Amino acid sequence: MKLTDLLTELEYEIVQGSLDREVSGVSNDSRKVEKDFLFFCIAGAVFDGHEFAENVVKQGAAVLVVEKDVSVADSDVTIVKVKNSRYAMGMICSAFYGNPSKRLTVIGITGTKGKTTTTYMIKSMLEAAGHKTGLIGTIESIIGDKVTPASNTTPESIVMQRTLKEMVDAGLDSVVMEVSSQGLMLDRVAGISFDYGIFTNLSEDHIGPNEHKDFAEYLGWKAKLFTLCKTGIFNVDDVYCEEILKGHTCDVVTYGMKSGADYRAENLELFKKDGCLGITYDLKGKYEEHVMVSLPGEFSVHNSLSAIAVAKEMGVPMEKILEILTDIHVKGRVELIGISDAFTVLIDYAHNAMSLESILTTLRAYHPNRLVSLFGCGGNRSKVRRFEMGEVSGKLADLTIITSDNPRDEEPQAIIDDIKVGMAKTDGKFEEIIDRKEAIRFAIMNAREGDVIVLAGKGHEDYQEIKGKKYHMDERDLIKEILEEEDVTQICGYNNRYFA
């Protein structure tokens, strides 16, 4: 492809060389550069791509895209200087891969919580209506039958554009993706044409030296999505919704429980049946229906409302939408493991105090006989998180089972001891069992009728990180092994319907 065709959407300066260059490939990884490649010099947190300029030229790079001055001796390489090489990477890669987002209906979801669940709801609804839909998110990317585990919620733009191109080539017509504040701040979505943007909610998170300097910056980058999309779908119940709306350039659709919302929920009722926890409500506004969601809590109402909104805006029949919501399952997000009608076992990704408090408060509203919280904390991370999670679980759970998560380079017992510091501030009862499988075994074998057990922290993860190595560990597999090893007649209300 001609270099001139890649630069049509950018302001740039040619520092050296000619625009009349053929580009055979694009990369921001110096190790992958081949003859006639265009290399993006990205100033990252650990490495600065500008320092590799001379090396990639020796490997055959034809073009360098830079935002700083570089010196490349005795070379005819073309150097293109831009204001922001990350932004340029998104725009150039979009052009290189044929502007794939313009050939798809693109739905982006941003917010602190609810992004993952909402993406799967929307994907399922669109597919039920015949749309061939891809997904890019925290857990994985999905292109037809191809599933690739994710390393970032929002991939780097070069990966993103290549993935969108694969979706077009595979015959997909739609894609739903999680759009993180980091993804917006680092221009990972540059060059993407969003048809719909969804705002779920906002709370203090991702504030720190390697993320956002303060909450105002965090909010500002979230709001950026609504200057990039054609239609924005907003949760009007969130206290920050008006701030998010400031500066928007999109058409506005609203959802929530407030009067006047386009998609409004009324008459919320929790239900518990055969170990399943869920919620029902009456949909009002643009449409009137009775909705049942097979996921617990008020946040499931907001997630489902946003999914209903985008699905209806795209013409999905209501009967398809309602059918999906009555049987929705999202890996690692209040995921029901239905081994018993007598008690409930859920797997959830809650891995900090805020998310653990949210899930335990939600589950407490179902008035369980006992609320059992099983979790650990990651090694090489803040001890404050351990203290906070211990305190939250001690206050909200009837029984806490403290176990191992990803100990990394720390000793699991030392992490557990930190969690117990927080527990000591409460009157909460607890057991400590280092081995996670044995901790889960204890929870299942000692379950009582009416109990709700939440296995928190791992969620969709299928590994445990110990001393620099990742070992396979999927809690679903652990539960299955436990059921195979134990006398299941001793398990309260055991029925094995989940693993049948």
Side-chain angles (χ1 to χ4, degrees):
M1 181 174 285
K2 289 291 186 182
L3 177 59
T4 50
D5 296 331
L6 300 179
L7 301 175
T8 55
E9 300 294 323
L10 284 173
E11 293 184 5
Y12 60 90
E13 172 192 357
I14 299 297
V15 176
Q16 175 181 310
S18 170
L19 273 173
D20 187 24
R21 303 297 294 261
E22 192 72 27
V23 174
S24 63
V26 291
S27 180
N28 63 332
D29 186 338
S30 62
R31 298 167 296 182
K32 297 179 180 179
V33 171
E34 299 177 16
K35 181 175 173 53
D36 293 327
F37 263 45
L38 181 152
F39 178 70
F40 300 101
C41 296
I42 305 295
V46 179
F47 299 106
D48 187 340
H50 294 80
E51 297 176 0
F52 298 93
E54 196 160 351
N55 287 344
V56 298
V57 169
K58 291 177 181 177
Q59 291 167 225
V63 181
L64 303 179
V65 175
V66 305
E67 63 183 29
K68 302 176 183 179
D69 292 334
V70 297
S71 177
V72 183
D74 301 322
S75 171
D76 65 348
V77 66
T78 298
I79 300 177
V80 180
K81 191 171 186 180
V82 295
K83 184 177 180 180
N84 183 329
S85 54
R86 280 191 177 277
Y87 176 77
M89 181 164 68
M91 301 302 293
I92 290 171
C93 288
S94 176
F96 183 81
Y97 289 113
N99 298 305
S101 66
K102 293 181 180 179
R103 300 161 68 186
L104 298 162
T105 298
V106 182
I107 304 147
I109 305 174
T110 198
T112 303
K113 295 177 289 187
K115 297 189 297 296
T116 299
T117 299
T118 305
T119 57
Y120 284 89
M121 283 183 174
I122 293 171
K123 182 177 188 293
S124 297
M125 291 174 185
L126 295 182
E127 288 181 334
H131 288 282
K132 295 180 179 180
T133 307
L135 182 146
I136 300 172
T138 300
I139 299 175
E140 60 203 359
S141 66
I142 303 175
I143 306 172
D145 295 330
K146 179 184 175 183
V147 178
T148 306
S151 54
N152 292 308
T153 297
T154 307
E156 282 284 9
S157 61
I158 195 166
V159 176
M160 178 75 81
Q161 296 292 344
R162 185 167 60 241
T163 300
L164 294 175
K165 172 66 160 54
E166 289 179 27
M167 290 181 177
V168 171
D169 291 345
L172 275 58
D173 59 70
S174 307
V175 58
V176 56
M177 67 174 72
E178 297 182 49
V179 183
S180 68
S181 55
Q182 288 283 301
L184 288 157
M185 183 175 73
L186 298 175
D187 288 308
R188 291 174 181 167
V189 296
I192 294 178
S193 177
F194 287 96
D195 295 281
Y196 298 92
I198 298 174
F199 167 63
T200 60
N201 52 66
L202 202 66
S203 54
E204 293 213 20
D205 199 9
H206 303 291
I207 312 299
N210 296 322
E211 294 184 278
H212 300 288
K213 64 180 181 181
D214 54 32
F215 183 74
E217 181 183 274
Y218 178 50
L219 184 151
W221 284 112
K222 289 289 188 187
K224 178 70 174 176
L225 178 62
F226 304 101
T227 67
L228 304 175
C229 65
K230 297 170 186 173
T231 300
I233 298 173
F234 298 86
N235 174 9
V236 291
D237 293 339
D238 191 84
V239 295
Y240 296 106
C241 186
E242 288 188 12
E243 290 294 315
I244 291 289
L245 274 163
K246 287 181 179 178
H248 78 274
T249 57
C250 57
D251 295 334
V252 174
V253 174
T254 60
Y255 69 94
M257 299 173 202
K258 283 186 178 179
S259 175
D262 295 318
Y263 295 83
R264 187 173 70 257
E266 296 181 358
N267 305 321
L268 280 61
E269 289 188 14
L270 305 179
F271 73 84
K272 182 177 180 181
K273 181 181 180 182
D274 298 335
C276 176
L277 308 180
I279 193 164
T280 65
Y281 61 88
D282 292 325
L283 176 66
K284 302 289 184 179
K286 284 191 172 185
Y287 301 90
E288 294 196 2
E289 296 285 349
H290 185 67
V291 179
M292 182 173 73
V293 185
S294 60
L295 294 172
E298 189 174 300
F299 56 76
S300 296
V301 174
H302 283 102
N303 292 343
S304 62
L305 281 172
S306 65
I308 291 170
V310 74
K312 284 308 300 176
E313 294 295 316
M314 290 182 63
V316 178
M318 185 60 77
E319 61 267 24
K320 297 290 186 182
I321 292 171
L322 299 178
E323 183 181 328
I324 292 297
L325 292 176
T326 58
D327 193 34
I328 189 71
H329 299 281
V330 181
K331 187 175 183 180
R333 284 1 186 229
V334 285
E335 178 188 358
L336 175 69
I337 309 297
I339 63 174
S340 172
D341 290 339
F343 64 92
T344 301
V345 178
L346 300 164
I347 294 176
D348 193 75
Y349 188 51
H351 59 289
N352 56 34
M354 179 179 65
S355 55
L356 185 62
E357 181 175 16
S358 175
I359 186 63
L360 293 179
T361 301
T362 295
L363 297 176
R364 176 61 69 190
Y366 287 82
H367 305 292
N369 174 42
R370 293 185 308 168
L371 179 55
V372 180
S373 167
L374 183 152
F375 75 96
C377 289
N380 302 1
R381 299 293 187 270
S382 169
K383 289 192 175 188
V384 174
R385 174 178 289 190
R386 303 169 192 177
F387 304 153
E388 291 174 344
M389 290 186 72
E391 186 172 358
V392 164
S393 190
K395 287 179 177 177
L396 295 177
D398 297 297
L399 173 64
T400 298
I401 303 173
I402 310 172
T403 186
S404 186
D405 192 286
N406 291 321
R408 299 186 176 90
D409 296 323
E410 293 191 62
E411 290 300 323
Q413 185 61 56
I415 298 173
I416 289 174
D417 290 342
D418 286 337
I419 296 171
K420 287 159 58 179
V421 171
M423 287 289 306
K425 297 179 180 180
T426 75
D427 296 325
K429 298 178 181 178
F430 70 90
E431 297 282 343
E432 54 179 294
I433 305 172
I434 290 179
D435 185 277
R436 199 169 184 102
K437 179 178 177 180
E438 294 309 309
I440 295 171
R441 187 193 306 273
F442 179 88
I444 292 173
M445 298 308 296
N446 290 279
R448 302 173 188 172
E449 186 170 359
D451 283 358
V452 174
I453 302 166
V454 57
L455 313 181
K458 297 299 291 178
H460 60 278
E461 292 181 353
D462 60 0
Y463 64 87
Q464 190 170 42
E465 189 175 346
I466 304 171
K467 303 294 184 184
K469 292 185 178 182
K470 288 185 177 181
Y471 300 88
H472 179 77
M473 190 194 74
D474 187 317
E475 290 184 316
R476 298 149 201 82
D477 295 340
L478 297 184
I479 292 171
K480 191 170 185 179
E481 290 170 10
I482 291 165
L483 298 180
E484 291 170 348
E485 293 164 3
E486 295 289 343
D487 178 356
V488 295
T489 62
Q490 301 300 309
I491 299 175
C492 178
Y494 172 76
N495 59 26
N496 197 29
R497 59 188 164 88
Y498 182 81
F499 294 106

